[in-house]
């Protein structure tokens, strides 16, 4: 069965700059697919091509079996879009905005129900400029969900939000996922992708440098888990005396190993020195660690 | 183009506009405020002296004494008119509401004991008629009580209506409301582009032509409302001698429509060529103020030096104000047809240029 979104060898150039250099991926039905990458990696360009907002230079793209460049008008009733930096007319309320989309698209939806789903009922009659950052994003999500879409594009939905607002939006996304919606999530928050996405593609400089489930990516590109220790001045000599290889990173002494069991046995050996230890952090490598290393290595290689 | 989308956006934009205090102030209240200010200054009410045009056809000592008496009342400022001129034409040309005609046989009749002088008043100005009574009382006191002679005033209405300065301000202020078309676009377009609101509206299927159609309908309605208020305030409060005849009504609405399209297109062009609100504000003022002061909105073009008159000939607002002056004050359609044709050509040309540019702009 073909995916809800299929991208084959997508390229996009702006004058002499090639922003997307032959990207291919597929998004399955009911899947949360996340495009990760640093600023300027080509994520938003890719998503805007899928949303029918930009023309591609070459390659094949289908969204729900249609070419978005030619059929976006038909797709509008089955696709929801939260663009990057969502904005609206400053003195219009969320309820009025939803009424506008309902009327314009000829939808049967109940704006009140959608506003309740994104937990925006209390601010439904507050004008846009007076909403908080999180509430503005929720309004954008509500607009994206009004047509009960099968596919939702969320382009950096939590950018610039405080932790509480971020988590509130995660809840909304998880709810959408539970309802079986397919979601394309663009973000540069790795924890967000790790928590929400079924599949991830890391984009850097216009190409996909890794893809798979977050777990697959971490295990494929895994280098080392680590123990981070801080404490008394004696701690460094204790580690040296035990012949435990370590390095200093700020106030922490860091012990790395590609085997988590080896790290557990080191913790066991350190039991006798617990009086000299203030902090002991056992940290498995995360998607963020892999991402930073991969993107950093690419940059170092380029340089 | 889908009418339902045009109407949906029209509704949304109307809500946004009516909530915008500055929008309502500039489009509705400011022109009315100007009307009140100019009406108060140039309308016929107030406590200052009334100017009276006096034509002495007698030229005798008795008749010149009468002129002195009129001057001494403290109510009138006498403006002497040469016996060779036509008094009513002089009044019309100089927008003087009151005139006194001292007949050639003034002295003969005066010596006989009773003499009549003609007081010409502007029938559209109630104060003007009341002035005849003021003069009669003054003459009664001076002559009848002082000399035993009777100098009686018989009022006569001016057959042709006089224009007053306030009359000219009504088409001028209607021209001022046209400039809202420029402002609406010049601020909205860069703002919507910068904040990507056009993109967001396009998710509702709204196309550029639909947005433009909706905005035009909105500003056409709001401008008609604003102009109607100016018209009613001008006539009702300040007795402006203007009217729109039924046969000129359609033409007046057409001129307003041409004006709006012209100025919205100018605003759209400027909005598309500027990239942020700050630059747009500068560009807006550069277009707005010269046009405001050089197109006959506040000052007659005939008072300007010739080089400024040349500049004003290139401003579309000049032709708009001229066209409305002709339709509302002189009721002479044929004399303003060239201005209306120029407005029509300007509106179509500018609309084509601006909408083509809009269709090419990426983030709109």
């Amino acid at each position: 069965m073909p995916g809800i979104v299929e991208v084959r060898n997508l390229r996009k150039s702006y004058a002499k700059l090639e922003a997307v250099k032959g990207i291919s991926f597929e998004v399955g039905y009911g899947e949360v697919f996340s495009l990760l990458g640093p600023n300027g990696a080509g994520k938003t360009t890719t998503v805007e091509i899928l949303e029918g907002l930009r023309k591609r230079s070459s390659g094949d793209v289908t969204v729900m079996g249609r070419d978005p460049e030619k059929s976006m008008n038909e797709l509008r009733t089955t696709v929801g879009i939260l663009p990057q930096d969502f904005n609206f007319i400053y003195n219009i309320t969320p309820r009025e905005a939803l009424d506008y989309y309902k009327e314009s698209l000829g939808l049967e939806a109940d704006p009140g129900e959608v506003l309740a789903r994104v937990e925006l009922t209390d601010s439904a009659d507050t004008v846009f400029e007076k909403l908080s950052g999180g509430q503005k994003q929720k309004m954008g999500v509500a607009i994206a969900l009004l047509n009960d879409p099968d596919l939702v594009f969320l382009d950096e939905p939590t950018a610039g939000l405080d932790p509480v607002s971020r988590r509130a939006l995660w809840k909304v996304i998880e709810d959408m996922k539970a309802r079986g919606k397919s979601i394309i999530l663009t973000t540069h928050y790795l924890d967000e992708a790790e928590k929400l996405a079924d599949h991830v593609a890391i984009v850097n400089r216009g190409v996909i440098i890794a893809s798979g489930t977050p777990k697959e990516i971490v295990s494929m590109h895994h280098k080392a888990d680590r123990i981070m220790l801080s404490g008394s001045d004696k701690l460094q000599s204790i580690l040296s005396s035990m012949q435990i290889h370590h390095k200093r990173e700020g106030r922490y002494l860091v012990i790395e190993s590609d085997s988590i069991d080896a790290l557990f046995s080191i913790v066991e050996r350190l039991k006798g020195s617990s009086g000299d230890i203030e902090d002991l952090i056992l940290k498995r490598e995360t998607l963020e660690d892999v991402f930073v290393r991969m993107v950093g290595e690419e940059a170092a290689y380029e340089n | 183009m889908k009418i339902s989308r045009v109407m949906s956006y029209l509704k949304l934009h109307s809500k946004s506009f009516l909530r915008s205090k500055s929008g309502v102030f500039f489009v509705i209240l400011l022109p009315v405020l100007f009307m009140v200010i100019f009406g108060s200054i140039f309308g016929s009410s107030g406590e200052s002296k009334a100017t009276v045009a006096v034509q002495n056809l007698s030229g005798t000592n008795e008749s010149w004494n009468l002129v002195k008496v009129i001057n001494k009342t403290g109510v009138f400022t006498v403006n002497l008119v040469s016996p060779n001129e036509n008094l009513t034409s002089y009044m019309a040309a100089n927008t003087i509401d009151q005139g006194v005609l001292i007949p050639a046989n003034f002295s003969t009749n005066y010596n006989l004991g009773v003499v009549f002088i003609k007081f010409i008043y502007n029938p559209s100005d109630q104060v003007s008629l009341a002035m005849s009574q003021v003069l009669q009382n003054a003459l009664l006191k001076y002559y009848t009580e002082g000399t035993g002679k009777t100098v009686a005033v018989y009022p006569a209405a001016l057959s042709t209506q006089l224009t007053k300065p306030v009359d000219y301000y009504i088409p001028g202020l209607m021209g001022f409301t046209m400039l809202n078309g420029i402002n609406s676009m010049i601020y909205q377009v860069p703002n919507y582009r910068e904040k990507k609101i056009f993109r967001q509206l396009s998710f509702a299927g709204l196309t550029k032509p639909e947005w433009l159609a909706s905005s035009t309908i909105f500003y056409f309605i709001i401008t008609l409302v604003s102009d109607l208020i100016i018209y009613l305030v001008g006539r009702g409060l300040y007795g402006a001698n203007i009217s729109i005849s039924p046969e000129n009504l359609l033409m007046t609405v057409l001129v307003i429509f041409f004006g709006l399209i012209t100025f919205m297109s100018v605003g759209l062009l400027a909005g598309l060529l500027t990239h942020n609100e700050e630059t747009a504000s500068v560009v807006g003022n550069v277009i707005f103020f010269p046009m405001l002061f050089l197109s006959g909105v506040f000052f007659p073009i005939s008072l300007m030096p010739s080089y400024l008159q040349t500049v004003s000939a290139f401003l579309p607002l000049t032709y708009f104000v001229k066209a409305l002056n002709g339709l509302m004050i002189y009721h002479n359609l044929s004399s303003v047809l060239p201005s209306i044709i120029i407005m029509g050509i300007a509106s179509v040309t500018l609309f084509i240029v601006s909408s083509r540019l809009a269709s090419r702009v990426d983030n709109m």
Side-chain angles (χ1 to χ4, degrees), chain B residues 13-81:
Chain B
H13 186 68
S14 305
K15 276 180 190 165
S16 173
F17 173 82
L18 292 172
R19 264 181 214 149
S20 157
K21 291 184 183 77
S22 61
V24 173
F25 175 76
F26 280 109
V27 175
I28 305 279
L29 296 181
L30 188 61
V32 174
L33 191 66
F34 275 138
M35 186 70 247
V36 170
I37 292 168
F38 291 127
S40 301
I41 295 171
F42 298 108
S44 50
S45 57
E47 293 176 1
S48 58
K49 285 183 181 181
T51 302
V52 60
V54 177
Q55 189 174 42
N56 187 354
L57 298 179
S58 172
T60 58
N61 287 339
E62 289 86 0
S63 63
W64 284 118
N65 190 45
L66 172 63
V67 175
K68 279 185 194 164
V69 172
I70 296 170
N71 207 10
K72 276 185 183 169
T73 58
V75 180
F76 298 105
T77 300
V78 172
N79 211 337
L80 281 174
V81 181

Side-chain angles (χ1 to χ4, degrees), chain B residues 59-296:
Chain B
T60 58
N61 287 339
E62 289 86 0
S63 63
W64 284 118
N65 190 45
L66 172 63
V67 175
K68 279 185 194 164
V69 172
I70 296 170
N71 207 10
K72 276 185 183 169
T73 58
V75 180
F76 298 105
T77 300
V78 172
N79 211 337
L80 281 174
V81 181
S82 157
N84 302 326
E85 284 199 57
N86 180 304
L87 179 60
T88 52
S89 302
Y90 180 90
M91 290 168 69
N94 294 280
T95 59
I96 299 172
D97 282 341
Q98 294 78 224
V100 170
L101 182 69
I102 304 172
N105 58 0
F106 179 84
S107 290
T108 313
N109 289 338
Y110 179 77
N111 290 327
L112 291 172
V114 179
V115 62
F116 286 91
I117 59 169
K118 192 174 181 181
F119 185 91
I120 303 163
Y121 68 94
N122 180 356
S124 64
D125 187 344
Q126 290 181 348
V127 177
S128 179
L129 176 60
M131 284 296 162
S132 70
Q133 196 55 50
V134 171
L135 182 63
Q136 180 64 84
N137 290 341
L139 297 182
L140 191 69
K141 192 170 174 61
Y142 181 84
Y143 286 103
T144 312
E145 291 174 11
T147 64
K149 310 275 186 190
T150 300
V151 178
V153 172
Y154 73 94
L158 194 65
S159 56
T160 52
Q161 277 197 344
L162 284 177
T163 52
K164 297 189 283 185
V166 70
D167 301 346
Y168 290 104
Y169 281 105
I170 292 173
L173 287 174
M174 287 181 171
F176 180 79
T177 65
M178 285 298 114
L179 296 181
N180 292 317
I182 292 185
N183 273 352
S184 63
M185 290 286 139
I186 224 164
Y187 292 106
Q188 194 185 42
V189 172
N191 178 278
Y192 276 26
R193 286 173 73 197
E194 202 176 1
K195 293 182 176 164
K196 298 185 177 174
I197 292 174
F198 281 123
R199 178 189 62 182
Q200 188 59 45
L201 293 172
S202 77
F203 296 154
L206 189 75
T207 61
K208 288 178 197 179
E210 286 168 354
W211 169 79
L212 200 54
S214 190
S215 300
T216 306
I217 293 170
F218 175 78
Y219 283 104
F220 186 53
I221 292 169
I222 209 80
T223 302
L224 283 180
V225 169
S226 182
D227 289 350
L228 184 65
I229 293 173
I230 289 170
Y231 179 80
L232 293 176
V233 170
R235 275 185 65 112
L237 281 184
Y238 302 107
N241 299 324
I242 54 157
S243 59
I244 305 170
S245 61
E247 57 269 28
N248 283 349
L249 179 64
L250 250 178
M251 200 49 87
T252 306
V253 172
L254 186 68
V255 168
I256 292 172
F257 183 71
F258 280 159
L260 187 76
I261 296 290
T262 301
F263 298 115
M264 279 182 76
S265 301
V266 170
L268 181 56
L269 274 175
L272 289 169
L273 296 173
T274 52
H275 296 287
N276 57 55
E277 282 182 81
E278 202 182 344
T279 321
S281 150
V282 174
V283 173
N285 288 330
V286 166
I287 297 174
F288 188 89
F289 284 105
M291 192 125 63
L292 200 61
F293 293 110
L294 298 179
S295 301

Side-chain angles (χ1 to χ4, degrees), chain A residues 48 53-54 76 81 83-93 96 100-101 103-105 127 143, chain B residues 2 5 8-9 11-12 15-16 19-20 192 195-197 199-206 362:
Chain A
E48 287 184 350
L53 296 173
R54 285 188 194 280
R76 283 196 202 292
I81 299 171
Q84 196 182 83
D85 308 324
F86 166 74
N87 229 316
F88 206 72
I89 302 168
Y90 76 102
N91 56 5
I92 292 296
T93 68
E96 288 163 348
Y100 164 68
Y101 283 89
E103 267 183 44
S104 293
L105 293 169
V127 293
I143 291 170
Chain B
K2 212 172 162 187
R5 286 203 294 254
S8 297
Y9 180 70
K11 212 161 101 182
L12 187 77
K15 276 180 190 165
S16 173
R19 264 181 214 149
S20 157
Y192 276 26
K195 293 182 176 164
K196 298 185 177 174
I197 292 174
R199 178 189 62 182
Q200 188 59 45
L201 293 172
S202 77
F203 296 154
L206 189 75
D362 214 16

